[in-house]
């Protein structure tokens, strides 16, 4: 740990063979704290350094005065990161690229900003091609950086960049950017650079250090974003807590057919079942999985194409629970068949799952009854129930991927305003969106359930909805939304906003109207809790 006198600390992670310098979550954020613990346990974590949470308070208090100190700290620690990796930031032959991520002392999934591939520029993109022999990787990463930097640093609307990508897909006859070849991606990167200059009024910065500083400041600023502020309000999180900034060596899930990115839980966060719960996309970066903007279709192929990686993930889920003593939610990247862990945190779960996990972890000697009871504090155990559709053969309007349990019946709402209007009228709402985004946090909070056309079970918004007790279905490919007409359709069936639908998360169905419901209670699990309490009395 090192910092100039009077400034907050900076922490190194996996930068030396010795154990990392100690820090606490309040100082370095829970994400970096857990990275530090994983690195110390010998788990595969890319090297990183962390501007502690004190830098957020410093920046919020006087941004102009804090900026030179942030710049100097980043320069000093980037030199250490370069030495630890054997790469040069922005180098023309062996370039180091980094991710710049937020991290509060408590988990706030997807509520603050991230910038990936920082350090790419015209010079470094050639260096990345030399280093990897993979021009497709280089151009794909460059066009991603340009768009993400415009959105996060400048607050730019993503629509112009998305239109360029759509035109590139149409020209190539491809279904997704993952199918574009390096020539198409090089052209898309060039068009994105032109769009960036037009939108922001200045060329894309070719100095990697300028990129790094601006990205770090944008991450600090995102602590005050509307979605982060709303999340803190909903969950009673102290505004003064602040976020850390983690700068970590990039590993590339978009490096080809033996690469990819994913998110997982060591146990099913909906039911609590003791099994690996996973989403995975080949040839993709982590934002493709957690953003909720893409269909996550490759999970079943992972053990077939990369059996060693699948086996290693199974081993790591046990290692993570052993190291942290509770069910974990983690993100990972596979680059050329090699697995890296990018973060882990205590898994957000439904109340039903929380109860089952607590009981089973005591049986497995992972937790004591006292620890399990402490984790269940704040839950109304008497109210835990699982609602099922009585007729499992009822014809569905559409099928989707369950990201929770139970059922939700409510009126269709296409945005947060409609959710609030329905709630004020005493009617539960079903938020229906094209994709799952944490920008919808107010609508998620005001709804009884969430239905999306795209996205996966481990996207940030699905994680948040599940933890808030909302029934969630994602990846409903039949769903079409007409914002102007305020209607939704499922194949031939069209419904207006305000009409009633049912989300059946047990069977992945969207049903018309309000079906008959069966209620199940976890009596066996509750009796075990009662037995612990009796033994402790």
């Amino acid at each position: 740990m090192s910092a100039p006198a009077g400034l907050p600390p900076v922490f190194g992670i996996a930068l030396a063979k010795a154990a990392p310098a100690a820090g606490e979550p309040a100082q370095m954020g829970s994400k970096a704290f857990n990275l530090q613990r994983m690195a110390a346990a010998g788990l595969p974590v890319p090297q990183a350094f962390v501007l502690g949470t004190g830098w957020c308070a410093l920046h919020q208090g006087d941004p102009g005065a804090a900026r030179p100190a942030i710049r100097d700290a980043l320069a000093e620690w980037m030199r250490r990161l370069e030495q630890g990796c054997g790469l040069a930031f922005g180098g023309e032959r062996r370039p180091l690229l980094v991710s710049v991520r937020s991290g509060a002392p408590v988990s706030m999934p997807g509520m603050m900003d991230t910038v990936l591939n920082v350090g790419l520029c015209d010079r470094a993109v050639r260096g990345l091609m030399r280093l990897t022999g993979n021009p497709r990787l280089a151009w794909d990463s460059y066009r991603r950086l340009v768009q993400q930097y415009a959105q996060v640093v400048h607050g730019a609307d993503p629509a112009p960049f998305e239109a360029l990508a759509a035109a590139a897909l149409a020209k190539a006859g491809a279904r997704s950017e993952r199918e574009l070849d390096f020539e198409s991606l090089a052209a898309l990167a060039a068009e994105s650079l032109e769009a960036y200059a037009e939108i922001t009024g200045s060329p894309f910065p070719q100095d990697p250090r300028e990129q790094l500083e601006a990205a770090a400041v944008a991450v600090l600023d995102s602590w005050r974003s509307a979605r982060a502020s709303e999340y803190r309000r909903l969950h009673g999180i102290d505004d003064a807590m602040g976020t850390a900034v983690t700068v970590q060596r990039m590993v590339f899930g978009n490096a080809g057919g033996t690469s990819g990115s994913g998110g997982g839980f060591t146990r099913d966060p909906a039911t609590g079942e003791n099994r690996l719960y996973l989403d995975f996309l080949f040839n993709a970066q982590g934002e493709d999985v957690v953003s909720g903007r893409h269909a996550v279709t490759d999970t079943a192929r992972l053990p077939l194409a990369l059996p060693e990686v699948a086996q290693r993930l199974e081993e790591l889920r046990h290692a993570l629970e052993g190291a942290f003593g509770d069910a974990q939610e983690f993100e990972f990247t596979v680059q050329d068949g090699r697995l890296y862990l990018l973060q882990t945190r205590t898994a957000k779960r439904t109340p039903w799952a929380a109860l089952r996990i607590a009981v089973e972890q005591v049986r497995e000697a992972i937790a004591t009854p006292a620890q399990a009871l402490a984790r269940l504090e704040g839950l109304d155990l008497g109210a835990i129930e699982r609602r099922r559709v009585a007729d499992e053969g009822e014809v569905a309007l559409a099928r989707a991927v369950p990201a929770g349990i139970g059922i939700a019946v409510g009126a269709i709402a296409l945005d947060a305003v409609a959710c609030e209007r329905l709630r004020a009228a005493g009617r539960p709402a079903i938020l229906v969106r094209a994709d799952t985004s944490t920008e919808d946090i107010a609508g998620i909070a005001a709804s009884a359930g969430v239905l999306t056309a795209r996205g996966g079970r481990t996207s940030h918004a699905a994680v948040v909805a599940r933890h808030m007790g909302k029934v969630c279905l994602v990846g409903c490919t039949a769903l079409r939304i007409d914002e102007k007409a305020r209607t939704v359709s499922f194949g031939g069936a069209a419904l207006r906003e305000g009409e009633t639908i049912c989300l059946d998360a047990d069977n992945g169905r969207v049903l018309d109207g309000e079906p008959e419901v069966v209620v199940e209670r976890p009596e066996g699990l509750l009796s075990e809790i009662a037995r612990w309490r009796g033994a402790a009395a």
Side-chain angles (χ1 to χ4, degrees):
M1 187 173 72
S2 169
L7 291 177
V10 181
F11 303 87
I13 296 174
L15 288 179
K17 292 183 179 179
E24 294 299 321
Q27 291 179 291
M28 60 190 304
S30 63
K31 185 181 298 181
F33 179 74
N34 288 344
L35 280 173
Q36 174 184 261
R37 291 179 65 183
M38 287 195 293
L43 299 177
V45 173
Q47 301 96 325
F49 67 86
V50 184
L51 301 186
T53 55
W55 291 90
C56 189
L58 188 70
H59 172 67
Q60 299 286 352
D62 190 343
R67 192 74 177 246
I70 292 171
R71 184 181 306 129
D72 290 345
L74 290 170
E76 176 192 346
W77 280 86
M78 184 55 74
R79 285 191 292 271
R80 300 187 188 199
L81 187 58
E82 288 175 318
Q83 292 168 1
C85 299
L87 302 170
F89 189 48
E92 197 166 353
R93 297 210 167 269
R94 291 178 54 79
L96 168 64
L97 306 184
V98 296
S99 62
V100 182
R101 301 176 187 270
S102 61
V106 296
S107 178
M108 296 175 56
M111 295 300 149
M112 291 172 287
D113 286 330
T114 292
V115 187
L116 305 180
N117 307 299
V118 173
L120 267 181
C121 54
D122 293 348
R123 178 182 69 255
V125 78
R126 294 189 294 270
L128 188 58
M129 283 187 269
R130 290 190 184 99
L131 177 65
T132 64
N134 190 337
R136 190 193 179 285
L137 164 65
W139 290 116
D140 184 45
S141 300
Y142 200 11
R143 64 99 186 170
R144 287 171 180 267
L145 170 63
V146 173
Q147 176 176 344
Q148 196 169 42
Y149 191 91
Q151 291 177 232
V152 172
V153 174
H154 294 284
D157 185 343
F161 298 99
E162 291 170 352
L164 292 174
L169 293 177
K171 183 177 180 180
R175 291 170 297 178
S176 78
E177 290 93 329
R178 293 187 297 155
E179 297 178 1
L180 296 177
D181 61 21
F182 82 89
E183 290 180 330
S184 297
L185 288 166
L188 181 55
E191 292 167 350
S192 297
L193 286 166
E194 291 176 3
Y196 177 95
E198 183 176 340
I199 291 166
T200 67
S202 60
F204 182 75
Q206 293 297 309
D207 181 351
R209 284 161 180 77
E210 179 184 342
Q211 295 176 18
L212 178 61
E213 180 184 335
V217 168
V219 167
L220 293 173
D221 285 338
S222 72
W223 176 252
R224 298 292 186 189
S225 69
R227 68 182 187 275
S229 297
E230 176 67 6
Y231 186 89
R232 290 197 299 274
R233 185 190 68 79
L234 289 168
H235 292 85
I237 298 171
D238 185 0
D239 279 338
M241 195 175 286
T243 182
V245 179
T246 300
V247 178
Q248 188 169 37
R249 174 174 66 89
M250 280 292 301
V251 287
F252 298 99
N254 58 329
T258 58
S259 302
S261 293
F265 289 74
T266 59
R267 301 186 188 223
D268 188 320
T271 67
E273 184 181 349
N274 187 2
R275 65 178 181 88
L276 186 62
Y277 184 96
L278 203 67
D279 277 346
F280 186 76
L281 270 177
F282 279 104
N283 202 20
Q285 291 198 336
E287 286 297 298
D288 298 333
V289 177
V290 300
S291 68
R293 293 189 296 270
H294 302 273
V296 182
T297 56
D298 297 337
T299 309
R301 278 206 304 129
L302 176 60
L304 302 175
L306 297 174
E308 293 181 0
V309 170
Q311 178 59 37
R312 181 64 173 141
L313 284 166
E314 186 64 34
E315 294 166 357
L316 283 171
R317 88 174 179 99
H318 296 293
L320 287 170
E321 286 204 0
F324 290 89
D326 196 359
Q328 295 293 295
E329 173 194 352
F330 61 96
E331 293 177 18
F332 64 95
T333 288
V334 180
Q335 180 177 336
D336 297 326
R338 184 175 179 184
L339 177 66
Y340 297 89
L341 292 173
L342 303 183
Q343 74 170 56
T344 191
R345 57 185 167 224
T346 301
K348 294 189 180 298
R349 61 203 82 172
T350 65
W352 185 285
L355 178 60
R356 178 171 175 176
I357 290 170
V359 169
E360 293 188 355
Q361 286 191 328
V362 170
R363 293 173 183 168
E364 297 158 18
I366 293 173
T368 65
Q371 289 171 327
L373 287 170
R375 291 170 188 166
L376 295 173
E377 281 185 11
L379 286 181
D380 182 356
L381 299 183
I384 294 178
E385 63 181 28
R386 186 169 177 173
R387 301 168 72 223
R388 299 179 183 273
V389 175
D391 181 6
E392 293 194 359
E394 187 166 338
V395 176
L397 292 171
R399 295 274 175 180
V401 179
I405 59 169
I407 66 167
V409 177
I412 295 168
L414 300 185
D415 52 36
V417 173
C419 288
E420 290 287 2
R421 185 171 62 246
L422 286 163
R423 185 165 68 171
R427 298 183 65 195
I430 302 295
L431 178 64
V432 181
R433 302 289 287 164
D435 50 47
T436 43
S437 167
T438 52
E439 299 289 347
D440 292 321
I441 181 64
I444 294 171
S447 71
V450 180
L451 172 67
T452 70
R454 296 189 290 270
R457 303 175 303 170
T458 62
S459 68
H460 287 318
V463 169
V464 169
R466 185 165 50 235
H467 181 61
M468 293 174 72
K470 312 298 182 179
V471 175
C472 187
L473 294 180
V474 299
C476 182
T477 56
L479 172 62
R480 300 291 182 271
I481 301 172
D482 187 332
E483 297 274 0
K484 186 173 292 186
R486 309 298 285 185
T487 62
V488 302
S489 62
F490 306 95
L495 298 170
R496 294 186 304 276
E497 188 172 49
E499 292 194 64
T500 300
I501 59 172
C502 171
L503 304 186
D504 174 8
D506 289 308
N507 297 292
R509 300 182 298 175
V510 182
L511 303 172
D512 191 9
E514 185 170 353
E516 184 182 348
V517 171
V518 174
V519 178
E520 178 185 349
R521 294 256 305 147
E523 301 294 353
L525 299 175
L526 291 170
S527 65
E528 193 142 353
I529 298 292
R531 185 174 60 80
W532 297 346
R533 287 176 170 160

